[in-house]
Amino acid sequence: MGVTVTVEDQDAYLARVGRAGMLMLPMITGIGEQVRAWADELAAEGITALAWDPFKGRSTDNVTREELGGLARELDDEVALAEQAALVDYMFGELGCSKVGVIGYCLGGRFALLLAARDHRLANVVAFHPTVPSQRPPHHTYDAIAEATGIAAPVLVSYPSADTAVPNADFEALQTVLQARPTGATFAQYFPGADHGFSDKGRHDKEVNAAAYRLAWPQALAFMRTTTG
C-alpha cells in the first residue's frame, strides 16, 4: 500500500520500492482507487510509482465524473507541467531514483508526451489512449502531436480504434511524428473496436475493452521494466 506525500505545495500518491521509478499521470478519475491500485501494482513489480494529483484531492472516490470533467477543462498546461516537473525532481532527488519514466492515461497520456518533450531525463513514455485531438479545446495550450517530435526517450502508445475523443487520423499523425524522431524507439499498440479510456475498469463491461487491456498492460510492464531497470 502506498502513502500520500507532500512535494512542495502539492500532494502525490507514492508506492515506493526501489531506484527504478515511474511518474503516473491519471485520467479523468484523478487519484481514485484504480490509479492507486495501478501504482501499487507497479511497486509490486519492483518499480517505484509516484502519482500526480491533477484535481487536488478530488477523484472518483469522492466526486462525480461530471464534476471531474469540469475540473479537467480548467487545467492549465503550464501549471500542470510545472507540478509534474517538480515530481520528477523529487523522484531523482528525495527518492533517489536512478531512472524515471512517465506513464499517463487519457489526459495524463497527453501530459506524458508534453512532459517528455521538455524533460530529457525521462527514460520512457507510456501513453494509454492519450487525449491528443488535432482540433484542440481551449484549455489545451500546446499541441501534443506537434511537440512529440521533441521526445528523446522510447515511447509506447496505445490507441483504440473506436476512440471518439481522438480520430484515427490524429493517431496516425502522432505515429508519424514519433517515428520521424532521430532518437527514441516507438512502439504502437492498436486495438480494433476498443473505446477511449479502455484501461478504465469502469469500461470493462465491454469485452473488447477488457480484452484490449489484458493485452496492453503486460507489454507496457515489460517496456517499463526494460527502460527503467
Side-chain angles (χ1 to χ4, degrees):
M1 292 291 292
V3 297
T4 298
V5 296
T6 300
V7 179
E8 297 182 357
D9 59 350
Q10 61 175 317
D11 288 339
Y13 183 80
L14 173 65
R16 184 180 185 182
V17 288
R19 299 190 69 196
M22 290 296 298
L23 175 65
M24 299 188 70
L25 307 180
M27 59 179 75
I28 195 67
T29 58
I31 307 184
E33 178 276 331
Q34 179 171 259
V35 171
R36 297 195 305 275
W38 280 333
D40 293 342
E41 183 174 353
L42 282 181
E45 295 289 337
I47 300 172
T48 289
L50 184 67
W52 170 59
D53 184 357
F55 307 129
K56 307 300 177 281
R58 286 166 290 187
S59 72
T60 44
D61 290 350
N62 50 36
V63 298
T64 67
R65 286 176 182 258
E66 289 72 25
E67 291 175 274
L68 293 172
L71 293 173
R73 289 187 290 274
E74 296 173 3
L75 287 174
D76 179 274
D77 280 355
E78 292 287 3
V79 172
L81 289 165
E83 291 177 349
Q84 295 156 18
L87 296 179
V88 174
D89 290 343
Y90 178 80
M91 296 184 80
F92 280 118
E94 184 70 20
L95 298 183
C97 291
S98 57
K99 291 185 179 180
V100 175
V102 60
I103 179 170
Y105 309 80
C106 301
L107 70 88
R110 171 178 177 267
F111 277 120
L113 297 168
L114 291 173
L115 182 65
R118 289 158 172 74
D119 193 336
H120 289 179
R121 295 175 297 172
L122 293 171
N124 66 42
V125 183
V126 181
F128 274 98
H129 31 74
T131 308
V132 290
S134 57
Q135 297 298 314
R136 305 198 313 273
H139 63 289
H140 283 192
T141 304
Y142 297 110
D143 181 342
I145 295 175
E147 297 221 2
T149 190
I151 300 172
V155 177
L156 185 154
V157 59
S158 294
Y159 180 77
S161 76
D163 194 326
T164 56
V166 181
N168 273 254
D170 292 343
F171 175 63
E172 292 168 3
L174 175 62
Q175 284 193 90
T176 298
V177 168
L178 289 172
Q179 292 168 13
R181 295 175 298 145
T183 60
T186 301
F187 299 85
Q189 299 176 333
Y190 185 81
F191 298 101
D195 297 318
H196 183 75
F198 70 80
S199 299
D200 188 344
K201 293 178 183 176
R203 297 182 181 273
H204 289 183
D205 55 332
K206 290 181 65 173
E207 176 56 24
V208 67
N209 293 331
Y213 182 70
R214 286 196 299 269
L215 280 175
W217 185 240
Q219 310 308 317
L221 279 175
F223 176 75
M224 288 184 279
R225 288 194 208 99
T226 300
T227 50
T228 62

